[in-house]
């Protein structure tokens, strides 16, 4: 990612930063106020309405549990990381089901995007688990392999959609 790519993103394309590290349920309810209405209108397979990226499968599962209130019916969610299902099973699931909220690790998401099993055509929100630190106090961007995959995806898949006004990004 070039610095110019980031500088050309308008403030309107970004949800407010979760500086206070408030509960993720509260943050999402306050900043994506049309969530329930958007779920009703979202029926596209292979293209989640919202993608939440975190550094590890364990963290994704934790966020999945934490967001139970946010993902109440009729919200359909998917766990897209290596330790949950094989990539072929996830591709099949995405092809046959509508997903509103996807919990992903960078590498698995990049693989699903690269092999076109996942589309961003109807994706409106990208939530990055930016502030969370693991046991060694590393954030997602502090780990070289994760940072590389994340930055590649941002450059190739997400930043172009943000610039077109089709996607909003949140750092939580």
């Amino acid at each position: 990612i070039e610095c110019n790519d980031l500088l050309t993103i308008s403030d309107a394309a970004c949800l407010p930063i979760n500086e206070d590290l408030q509960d993720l349920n509260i943050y999402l309810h306050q900043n994506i106020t049309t969530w329930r209405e958007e779920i009703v209108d979202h029926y596209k397979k292979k293209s989640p309405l919202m993608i939440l990226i975190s550094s590890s499968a364990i963290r994704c599962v934790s966020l999945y549990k934490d967001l139970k209130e946010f993902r109440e019916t009729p919200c359909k969610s998917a766990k897209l990381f290596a330790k949950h299902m094989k990539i072929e099973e996830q591709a099949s699931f995405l092809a046959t089901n509508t997903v509103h909220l996807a919990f992903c690790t960078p590498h698995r998401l990049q693989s699903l995007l690269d092999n076109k099993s996942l589309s961003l055509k109807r994706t409106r929100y990208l939530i990055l688990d930016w502030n969370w630190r693991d046991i060694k106090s590393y954030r997602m961007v502090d780990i070289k392999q994760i940072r590389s995959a994340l930055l590649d995806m941002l450059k190739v898949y997400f930043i172009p959609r943000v610039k077109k006004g089709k996607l909003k990004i949140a750092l939580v």
Side-chain angles (χ1 to χ4, degrees):
I1 281 186
E2 300 295 326
C3 189
N4 288 339
D5 290 332
L6 299 176
L7 294 175
T8 58
I9 295 175
S10 72
D11 288 344
C14 301
L15 296 176
I17 295 174
N18 189 6
E19 293 176 311
D20 301 332
L21 301 178
Q22 67 186 16
D23 177 80
L24 194 52
N25 276 303
I26 294 168
Y27 173 84
L28 293 176
H29 277 297
Q30 287 177 348
N31 292 288
I32 307 175
T33 56
T34 59
W35 174 243
R36 293 287 176 221
E37 294 81 17
E38 291 182 72
I39 286 176
V40 172
D41 293 335
H42 184 80
Y43 54 87
K44 182 85 172 154
K45 293 173 176 48
K46 291 178 67 171
S47 185
L49 184 61
M50 177 187 293
I51 296 175
L52 195 152
I53 302 176
S54 192
S55 59
S56 70
I58 293 171
R59 177 64 177 159
C60 283
V61 169
S62 176
L63 289 169
Y64 179 85
K65 290 176 182 175
D66 290 348
L67 288 175
K68 181 179 181 187
E69 177 185 319
F70 192 75
R71 15 174 223 96
E72 290 174 343
T73 307
C75 177
K76 297 173 186 166
S77 56
K79 297 179 223 165
L80 304 175
F81 42 84
K83 294 186 179 184
H84 182 63
M85 295 186 328
K86 293 181 180 178
I87 193 164
E88 296 82 14
E89 294 170 333
Q90 291 172 339
S92 176
F93 179 84
L94 289 167
T96 57
N97 293 279
T98 298
V99 175
H100 300 114
L101 178 56
F103 296 83
C104 310
T105 55
H107 287 104
R108 181 50 57 97
L109 179 58
Q110 186 173 30
S111 296
L112 290 166
L113 286 165
D114 288 347
N115 73 19
K116 301 197 181 339
S117 297
L118 189 142
S119 163
L120 299 177
K121 187 173 185 176
R122 295 277 304 200
T123 302
R124 302 237 318 119
Y125 304 99
L126 174 66
I127 310 298
L128 300 174
D129 189 22
W130 197 258
N131 294 312
W132 183 78
R133 293 179 182 270
D134 67 12
I135 193 129
K136 294 180 181 176
S137 291
Y138 292 135
R139 294 174 304 148
M140 181 167 47
V141 294
D142 297 329
I143 303 166
K144 184 179 178 183
Q145 299 86 349
I146 294 173
R147 179 179 59 239
S148 176
L150 183 62
L151 293 178
D152 286 347
M153 276 190 302
L154 285 170
K155 181 178 182 178
V156 173
Y157 296 107
F158 295 108
I159 298 297
R161 293 192 54 77
V162 169
K163 288 182 177 181
K164 290 178 184 175
K166 297 182 180 213
L167 181 75
K168 291 190 177 202
I169 296 180
L171 306 178
V172 296

